[in-house]
Amino acid sequence: MKLVSDYFGCMVFNDEVMKNRLDPEVYNTLKRTMEHGRSLNLSVANAVASAMKDWAVELGATHYTHWFQPMTGITAEKHDSFISPDEGGKVIMEFSGKELVRGETDASSFPSGGLRATFEARGYTAWDATSYAFIKDGVLCIPTAFCSYGGEALDKKTPLLRSMEAINRQAMRVLKLFGNEEVTSVKTTVGAEQEYFLVDKQTFKQRKDLVYTGRTLFGAKPPKGQEVEGHYYGVIKPRVQAYMKDLDEELWKLGVLAKTEHNEAAPSQHELAPIFASTNIAADHNQLTMEIMQKVAKKHDFVCLLHEKPFEGVNGSGKHNNWSMSTNTGVNLLEPGDTPSENAQFLLFLCSIIKAVDEYQDLLRVSVASAGNDHRLGAHEAPPAVVSMFLGSELTEVLECIEKDLPYGAKEKELMRIGVHTLPKFPKDTTDRNRTSPFAFTGNKFEFRMLGSAASISDCNTVLNTAVAEALKQFADELETAENFETALHELIKRTITAHKRIIFNGNGYDDAWLKEAEARELLNLRSTPDAMPSFIKEKNIRLFTEHKVFTEREMHSRYEILLESYCKLTNIEALTMVEMAKKEILPAVSEYSQVLADTILAKKSVCKTLDCTYETEALNEISSLTAKAYAGVKALETALEETKKIDDITALSVWYKDEVLVKMATLRAAADALEGLVSADYWPMPTYGDLLFEI
Ligand code: ADP
Ligand code: MG
């Protein structure tokens, strides 16, 4: 039997491989680069490239690629072979340091939102030495950042790395104030839980909507939905079990720490959670996980759906971003401590997050905005579109006592003095009972639950890291110049709680009463992508990102355009797919079935004029009127699409898609779904929800 420990990471150029294959001096320089983000000199790069190539060739690789994450949200690669001509018509395998650290690529087919001038179509990719290279399908993949020639970010990794630098800078200042002299760097850590659906490949292929858009645009609810809740944590079916086993093995070879897998709430829905890692590695690994999930599914005659809402009326898929901060000495900064001083430090970091989430709730909302996720947020299955934080009752009470100078706890009728008293011990399992909060404290980390399943985790972590960096910066500015550190700290924490406690909500986030309450608290409720996106380029947010050198203003405007463009494009494809399915499949099938009913009525009448034709007549009547509605729906949708051609402004266009196109799509769908309930199964032109969800 293969032991997991023997093959885990066998396709990764990891620390152990580096240590074995690199000259100690080269190894140490590389390690320093990885820890402190220094740039590699060419001789070191050459030595690393050569060792990497030998290793890859031994494992059967023939090509290499700079593996990057353009704004399309998926990964991109361009393969080059290692071969180089040698004497006598032979070849040798070569790979230089220059090829390792920097690649040139034609950037013109990737979205740039106007950043890439037309005369300069080249972009370049640069090795992110903090993320290990790996071999996938015989190709050595080098995780890289992707920039324009002017150095502007064209990808999702670059800003994430910049945000990690920003939070490192500010967290280090705060840690110094608490006397942590041995700490030299702080990183954020993430564990991204990934939800997905599996459907049968043959069934999938018969649905144009799934093939073109990844979600069903038509489909009546089956008699059995998820109301029985038999699926959650239920027994995993053998076919799915085999898939999961294969998936784990593929991920483990790539060094992805896939840890738990279980069924989710909806039928055919599952989840995979990895063990957490440094944020940029977690982001790379989540991209790999999504890719491998889809690849392995094909082998098992499945299709893996990563769309946020593949089925209406059935829970959609999300991604939970578990986030924390940790020092290079291995201390989790969100773990409440044992001593008064550790607790003071914990409370300050906690306050920085409370402040960050409150002040930048709009950016957090933007970071999860997409056409797909719009179908999910606020639909009583996922967190609402309102950002709030769950801290649990104990921690909330502690903060209240600090804020109001009230005694805490039954025993010690003493005031909580920060830096003097310790926090009570919170049993960990009392902290994670609220599954409806968008941003929940779970004992030693926060779980951000608004992400859609298809999203890159880079966006939300870029926002989170930068917003917390800003809060920490303000704290450090104030505390560094304080005359009495302890007093200043106490006052700062009290003040922060007072100013930002409105963001804390421990109740049921799915409850409509909460939306009213949130409004009273003046929290933002940005329901859709077009509602949310304009916040991204608000002045306060431009100031945040430019001050921390995470985005330039131009990069922000370009991202704004790219995101809205993608929203419009996706919605347009969906609308066109609906029109095609309605005209070519649904309406003709319905017409055909209507003829059957009409013929039956005529036939019956010819046998005997008084034969009862109630069913046929009423069905035909209802079908005819719904057919007319569906056809009118198609026409209205076509008109709404025609209008889009007259709108140049991307913001206005996105609003048109939301208010007109999506609304017309819903009207058409309602008529078609009602028809599905009346037309004979033999005539319905595509697999139903029942076929898709329960036939695995
Ligand atoms: P559950 O949420 O099922 O109780 P855990 O709390 O153990 O499970 O973890 C959920 C996810 O959070 C996992 O992906 C885990 O690796 C991740 N996680 C745990 N600790 C941290 C941390 N300090 N930073 C980031 N992610 C973490
Ligand atoms: Mg969880």
Side-chain angles (χ1 to χ4, degrees), residues 405-629:
D405 284 325
L406 293 171
Y408 179 84
K411 262 199 336 268
E412 327 145 44
K413 282 282 171 217
E414 254 182 307
L415 301 188
M416 269 289 270
R417 285 298 300 182
I418 292 157
V420 179
H421 294 113
T422 54
L423 294 177
K425 281 267 160 264
F426 312 117
K428 229 180 222 158
D429 56 5
T430 65
T431 53
D432 191 20
R433 284 293 160 254
N434 187 320
R435 313 300 289 176
T436 66
S437 173
F439 202 97
F441 185 63
T442 55
N444 60 1
K445 61 186 183 291
F446 275 97
E447 183 166 345
F448 185 40
R449 301 189 176 121
M450 288 172 93
L451 277 81
S453 48
S456 151
I457 64 166
S458 298
D459 296 335
C460 75
N461 287 300
T462 300
V463 168
L464 200 49
N465 292 346
T466 314
V468 174
E470 171 61 24
L472 291 173
K473 171 180 175 283
Q474 290 182 23
F475 289 178
D477 286 348
E478 186 172 329
L479 295 174
E480 276 167 359
T481 53
E483 270 172 30
N484 181 320
F485 177 70
E486 217 113 278
T487 316
L489 178 68
H490 193 88
E491 288 312 307
L492 173 60
I493 288 180
K494 272 178 71 168
R495 208 173 347 109
T496 309
I497 298 168
T498 308
H500 300 291
K501 64 182 176 190
R502 64 169 187 166
I503 198 78
I504 299 166
F505 174 64
N506 294 322
N508 179 3
Y510 295 178
D511 199 341
D512 286 330
W514 162 235
L515 292 185
K516 284 216 186 74
E517 163 78 20
E519 203 180 324
R521 295 188 190 189
E522 295 182 23
L523 297 178
L524 294 168
N525 185 4
L526 303 167
R527 285 190 188 81
S528 69
T529 301
D531 291 330
M533 279 311 296
S535 302
F536 185 62
I537 45 174
K538 275 193 181 150
E539 208 207 312
K540 80 165 176 64
N541 294 334
I542 292 179
R543 208 179 322 124
L544 172 76
F545 282 127
T546 51
E547 262 179 29
H548 290 275
K549 303 197 164 35
V550 171
F551 287 123
T552 64
E553 190 167 347
R554 247 162 67 87
E555 285 171 339
M556 290 182 73
H557 281 282
S558 98
R559 255 148 234 262
Y560 174 78
E561 297 229 335
I562 291 170
L563 281 161
L564 281 181
E565 247 167 39
S566 137
Y567 174 86
C568 295
K569 271 189 201 152
L570 280 173
T571 313
N572 195 54
I573 294 171
E574 289 184 352
L576 291 174
T577 305
M578 272 191 111
V579 169
E580 183 173 313
M581 288 171 79
K583 279 189 173 169
K584 290 200 170 154
E585 296 181 57
I586 296 173
L587 290 171
V590 171
S591 240
E592 221 179 305
Y593 183 62
S594 302
Q595 192 191 341
V596 173
L597 289 172
D599 286 350
T600 309
I601 297 169
L602 287 177
K604 277 184 162 181
K605 294 282 178 203
S606 74
V607 172
C608 168
K609 269 204 157 57
T610 54
L611 268 188
D612 189 333
C613 295
T614 317
Y615 159 64
E616 290 82 357
T617 316
E618 285 188 6
L620 186 58
N621 197 17
E622 224 178 313
I623 287 174
S624 300
S625 98
L626 282 168
T627 307
K629 266 195 202 153

Side-chain angles (χ1 to χ4, degrees), residues 189-191 193 274-276 322 324 332 445:
T189 50
V190 165
E193 301 165 63
I275 295 172
F276 69 96
N322 294 275
S324 191
N332 177 352
K445 61 186 183 291

